[in-house]
mmCIF file of all heavy atoms in Angstrom:
data_model
loop_
_atom_site.group_PDB
_atom_site.id
_atom_site.type_symbol
_atom_site.label_atom_id
_atom_site.label_comp_id
_atom_site.label_asym_id
_atom_site.label_seq_id
_atom_site.Cartn_x
_atom_site.Cartn_y
_atom_site.Cartn_z
ATOM 1 N N TYR A 38 92.297 -38.772 -185.466
ATOM 2 C CA TYR A 38 91.089 -37.953 -185.550
ATOM 3 C C TYR A 38 91.363 -36.477 -185.273
ATOM 4 O O TYR A 38 90.699 -35.612 -185.853
ATOM 5 C CB TYR A 38 90.024 -38.507 -184.601
ATOM 6 C CG TYR A 38 89.198 -39.608 -185.240
ATOM 7 C CD1 TYR A 38 89.785 -40.490 -186.134
ATOM 8 C CD2 TYR A 38 87.858 -39.770 -184.969
ATOM 9 C CE1 TYR A 38 89.056 -41.504 -186.737
ATOM 10 C CE2 TYR A 38 87.113 -40.775 -185.561
ATOM 11 C CZ TYR A 38 87.722 -41.638 -186.450
ATOM 12 O OH TYR A 38 86.988 -42.626 -187.053
ATOM 13 N N VAL A 39 92.305 -36.185 -184.404
ATOM 14 C CA VAL A 39 92.677 -34.779 -184.215
ATOM 15 C C VAL A 39 93.326 -34.241 -185.482
ATOM 16 O O VAL A 39 93.038 -33.111 -185.922
ATOM 17 C CB VAL A 39 93.627 -34.625 -183.012
ATOM 18 C CG1 VAL A 39 94.230 -33.219 -182.972
ATOM 19 C CG2 VAL A 39 92.879 -34.884 -181.713
ATOM 20 N N ALA A 40 94.202 -35.025 -186.101
ATOM 21 C CA ALA A 40 94.824 -34.608 -187.358
ATOM 22 C C ALA A 40 93.777 -34.430 -188.447
ATOM 23 O O ALA A 40 93.828 -33.462 -189.234
ATOM 24 C CB ALA A 40 95.872 -35.637 -187.783
ATOM 25 N N ALA A 41 92.792 -35.338 -188.502
ATOM 26 C CA ALA A 41 91.730 -35.218 -189.497
ATOM 27 C C ALA A 41 90.892 -33.970 -189.247
ATOM 28 O O ALA A 41 90.546 -33.239 -190.189
ATOM 29 C CB ALA A 41 90.843 -36.464 -189.467
ATOM 30 N N GLY A 42 90.569 -33.705 -187.975
ATOM 31 C CA GLY A 42 89.816 -32.498 -187.658
ATOM 32 C C GLY A 42 90.570 -31.239 -188.052
ATOM 33 O O GLY A 42 89.986 -30.294 -188.595
ATOM 34 N N PHE A 43 91.871 -31.220 -187.786
ATOM 35 C CA PHE A 43 92.689 -30.069 -188.167
ATOM 36 C C PHE A 43 92.695 -29.878 -189.683
ATOM 37 O O PHE A 43 92.536 -28.764 -190.187
ATOM 38 C CB PHE A 43 94.123 -30.259 -187.656
ATOM 39 C CG PHE A 43 95.073 -29.176 -188.085
ATOM 40 C CD1 PHE A 43 95.106 -27.953 -187.427
ATOM 41 C CD2 PHE A 43 95.931 -29.372 -189.163
ATOM 42 C CE1 PHE A 43 95.976 -26.949 -187.831
ATOM 43 C CE2 PHE A 43 96.804 -28.387 -189.573
ATOM 44 C CZ PHE A 43 96.822 -27.172 -188.902
ATOM 45 N N ALA A 44 92.870 -30.979 -190.430
ATOM 46 C CA ALA A 44 92.927 -30.881 -191.889
ATOM 47 C C ALA A 44 91.584 -30.431 -192.472
ATOM 48 O O ALA A 44 91.532 -29.573 -193.371
ATOM 49 C CB ALA A 44 93.322 -32.242 -192.481
ATOM 50 N N ILE A 45 90.484 -30.983 -191.952
ATOM 51 C CA ILE A 45 89.162 -30.650 -192.490
ATOM 52 C C ILE A 45 88.812 -29.190 -192.218
ATOM 53 O O ILE A 45 88.342 -28.464 -193.103
ATOM 54 C CB ILE A 45 88.101 -31.588 -191.893
ATOM 55 C CG1 ILE A 45 88.297 -33.008 -192.421
ATOM 56 C CG2 ILE A 45 86.690 -31.095 -192.210
ATOM 57 C CD1 ILE A 45 87.479 -34.057 -191.688
ATOM 58 N N PHE A 46 89.043 -28.724 -190.992
ATOM 59 C CA PHE A 46 88.669 -27.351 -190.657
ATOM 60 C C PHE A 46 89.664 -26.322 -191.185
ATOM 61 O O PHE A 46 89.426 -25.124 -191.069
ATOM 62 C CB PHE A 46 88.510 -27.215 -189.141
ATOM 63 C CG PHE A 46 87.206 -27.706 -188.621
ATOM 64 C CD1 PHE A 46 87.009 -29.048 -188.342
ATOM 65 C CD2 PHE A 46 86.142 -26.838 -188.444
ATOM 66 C CE1 PHE A 46 85.797 -29.519 -187.864
ATOM 67 C CE2 PHE A 46 84.914 -27.297 -187.967
ATOM 68 C CZ PHE A 46 84.740 -28.644 -187.690
ATOM 69 N N SER A 47 90.769 -26.787 -191.751
ATOM 70 C CA SER A 47 91.706 -25.875 -192.419
ATOM 71 C C SER A 47 91.337 -25.646 -193.872
ATOM 72 O O SER A 47 91.907 -24.767 -194.526
ATOM 73 C CB SER A 47 93.137 -26.438 -192.337
ATOM 74 O OG SER A 47 93.571 -26.525 -190.998
ATOM 75 N N LEU A 48 90.404 -26.454 -194.403
ATOM 76 C CA LEU A 48 89.997 -26.295 -195.797
ATOM 77 C C LEU A 48 89.238 -24.981 -196.003
ATOM 78 O O LEU A 48 88.447 -24.573 -195.139
ATOM 79 C CB LEU A 48 89.104 -27.469 -196.208
ATOM 80 C CG LEU A 48 89.746 -28.862 -196.208
ATOM 81 C CD1 LEU A 48 88.695 -29.926 -196.483
ATOM 82 C CD2 LEU A 48 90.867 -28.931 -197.233
ATOM 83 N N PRO A 49 89.438 -24.325 -197.133
ATOM 84 C CA PRO A 49 88.741 -23.043 -197.403
ATOM 85 C C PRO A 49 87.331 -23.264 -197.931
ATOM 86 O O PRO A 49 87.000 -22.864 -199.058
ATOM 87 C CB PRO A 49 89.648 -22.401 -198.453
ATOM 88 C CG PRO A 49 90.224 -23.564 -199.194
ATOM 89 C CD PRO A 49 90.404 -24.658 -198.192
ATOM 90 N N ILE A 50 86.489 -23.889 -197.122
ATOM 91 C CA ILE A 50 85.123 -24.208 -197.571
ATOM 92 C C ILE A 50 84.075 -23.596 -196.648
ATOM 93 O O ILE A 50 82.908 -23.989 -196.688
ATOM 94 C CB ILE A 50 84.930 -25.738 -197.673
ATOM 95 C CG1 ILE A 50 85.275 -26.419 -196.348
ATOM 96 C CG2 ILE A 50 85.778 -26.320 -198.809
ATOM 97 C CD1 ILE A 50 85.024 -27.929 -196.357
ATOM 98 N N GLY A 51 84.490 -22.673 -195.812
ATOM 99 C CA GLY A 51 83.517 -21.955 -194.993
ATOM 100 C C GLY A 51 83.060 -22.658 -193.739
ATOM 101 O O GLY A 51 81.970 -22.360 -193.228
ATOM 102 N N LEU A 52 83.865 -23.580 -193.226
ATOM 103 C CA LEU A 52 83.492 -24.235 -191.976
ATOM 104 C C LEU A 52 83.643 -23.264 -190.814
ATOM 105 O O LEU A 52 84.497 -22.365 -190.849
ATOM 106 C CB LEU A 52 84.360 -25.478 -191.744
ATOM 107 C CG LEU A 52 84.188 -26.610 -192.761
ATOM 108 C CD1 LEU A 52 85.138 -27.758 -192.432
ATOM 109 C CD2 LEU A 52 82.746 -27.098 -192.783
ATOM 110 N N PRO A 53 82.845 -23.404 -189.762
ATOM 111 C CA PRO A 53 82.905 -22.451 -188.641
ATOM 112 C C PRO A 53 84.211 -22.560 -187.869
ATOM 113 O O PRO A 53 84.829 -23.622 -187.791
ATOM 114 C CB PRO A 53 81.720 -22.866 -187.762
ATOM 115 C CG PRO A 53 81.480 -24.300 -188.094
ATOM 116 C CD PRO A 53 81.823 -24.452 -189.545
ATOM 117 N N HIS A 54 84.639 -21.443 -187.324
ATOM 118 C CA HIS A 54 85.807 -21.424 -186.453
ATOM 119 C C HIS A 54 85.382 -21.802 -185.033
ATOM 120 O O HIS A 54 84.246 -21.573 -184.619
ATOM 121 C CB HIS A 54 86.459 -20.036 -186.450
ATOM 122 C CG HIS A 54 87.091 -19.685 -187.761
ATOM 123 N ND1 HIS A 54 88.318 -20.164 -188.144
ATOM 124 C CD2 HIS A 54 86.656 -18.911 -188.783
ATOM 125 C CE1 HIS A 54 88.619 -19.698 -189.337
ATOM 126 N NE2 HIS A 54 87.624 -18.934 -189.755
ATOM 127 N N PHE A 55 86.336 -22.354 -184.285
ATOM 128 C CA PHE A 55 86.031 -22.802 -182.930
ATOM 129 C C PHE A 55 87.235 -22.505 -182.047
ATOM 130 O O PHE A 55 88.196 -23.274 -182.018
ATOM 131 C CB PHE A 55 85.709 -24.306 -182.931
ATOM 132 C CG PHE A 55 85.036 -24.777 -181.685
ATOM 133 C CD1 PHE A 55 83.718 -24.460 -181.421
ATOM 134 C CD2 PHE A 55 85.730 -25.535 -180.749
ATOM 135 C CE1 PHE A 55 83.097 -24.895 -180.263
ATOM 136 C CE2 PHE A 55 85.115 -25.968 -179.595
ATOM 137 C CZ PHE A 55 83.796 -25.651 -179.353
ATOM 138 N N ASN A 56 87.187 -21.356 -181.372
ATOM 139 C CA ASN A 56 88.330 -20.917 -180.582
ATOM 140 C C ASN A 56 87.839 -20.327 -179.261
ATOM 141 O O ASN A 56 87.386 -19.173 -179.220
ATOM 142 C CB ASN A 56 89.148 -19.886 -181.354
ATOM 143 C CG ASN A 56 90.469 -19.563 -180.678
ATOM 144 O OD1 ASN A 56 90.654 -19.842 -179.494
ATOM 145 N ND2 ASN A 56 91.392 -18.966 -181.414
ATOM 146 N N PRO A 57 87.916 -21.079 -178.162
ATOM 147 C CA PRO A 57 87.411 -20.573 -176.872
ATOM 148 C C PRO A 57 88.197 -19.393 -176.334
ATOM 149 O O PRO A 57 87.686 -18.655 -175.478
ATOM 150 C CB PRO A 57 87.541 -21.787 -175.950
ATOM 151 C CG PRO A 57 88.617 -22.617 -176.563
ATOM 152 C CD PRO A 57 88.478 -22.431 -178.037
ATOM 153 N N ALA A 58 89.415 -19.195 -176.792
ATOM 154 C CA ALA A 58 90.198 -18.046 -176.329
ATOM 155 C C ALA A 58 89.628 -16.736 -176.856
ATOM 156 O O ALA A 58 89.859 -15.671 -176.277
ATOM 157 C CB ALA A 58 91.657 -18.191 -176.762
ATOM 158 N N ARG A 59 88.872 -16.790 -177.947
ATOM 159 C CA ARG A 59 88.305 -15.587 -178.554
ATOM 160 C C ARG A 59 86.803 -15.451 -178.327
ATOM 161 O O ARG A 59 86.273 -14.344 -178.314
ATOM 162 C CB ARG A 59 88.567 -15.598 -180.065
ATOM 163 C CG ARG A 59 90.041 -15.600 -180.455
ATOM 164 C CD ARG A 59 90.156 -15.682 -181.969
ATOM 165 N NE ARG A 59 91.546 -15.742 -182.414
ATOM 166 C CZ ARG A 59 91.900 -15.945 -183.677
ATOM 167 N NH1 ARG A 59 90.965 -16.120 -184.601
ATOM 168 N NH2 ARG A 59 93.173 -15.999 -184.002
ATOM 169 N N ASP A 60 86.112 -16.573 -178.204
ATOM 170 C CA ASP A 60 84.649 -16.567 -178.184
ATOM 171 C C ASP A 60 84.156 -17.260 -176.921
ATOM 172 O O ASP A 60 84.414 -18.452 -176.710
ATOM 173 C CB ASP A 60 84.114 -17.278 -179.434
ATOM 174 C CG ASP A 60 82.625 -17.049 -179.632
ATOM 175 O OD1 ASP A 60 81.904 -16.861 -178.627
ATOM 176 O OD2 ASP A 60 82.167 -17.064 -180.788
ATOM 177 N N GLY A 61 83.433 -16.524 -176.089
ATOM 178 C CA GLY A 61 82.904 -17.097 -174.863
ATOM 179 C C GLY A 61 81.877 -18.187 -175.110
ATOM 180 O O GLY A 61 81.755 -19.132 -174.316
#
Side-chain angles (χ1 to χ4, degrees):
Y38 274 35
V39 169
F43 176 80
I45 291 169
F46 280 84
S47 297
L48 296 174
I50 55 177
L52 295 178
H54 292 281
F55 196 73
N56 189 342
R59 299 177 182 173
D60 192 330

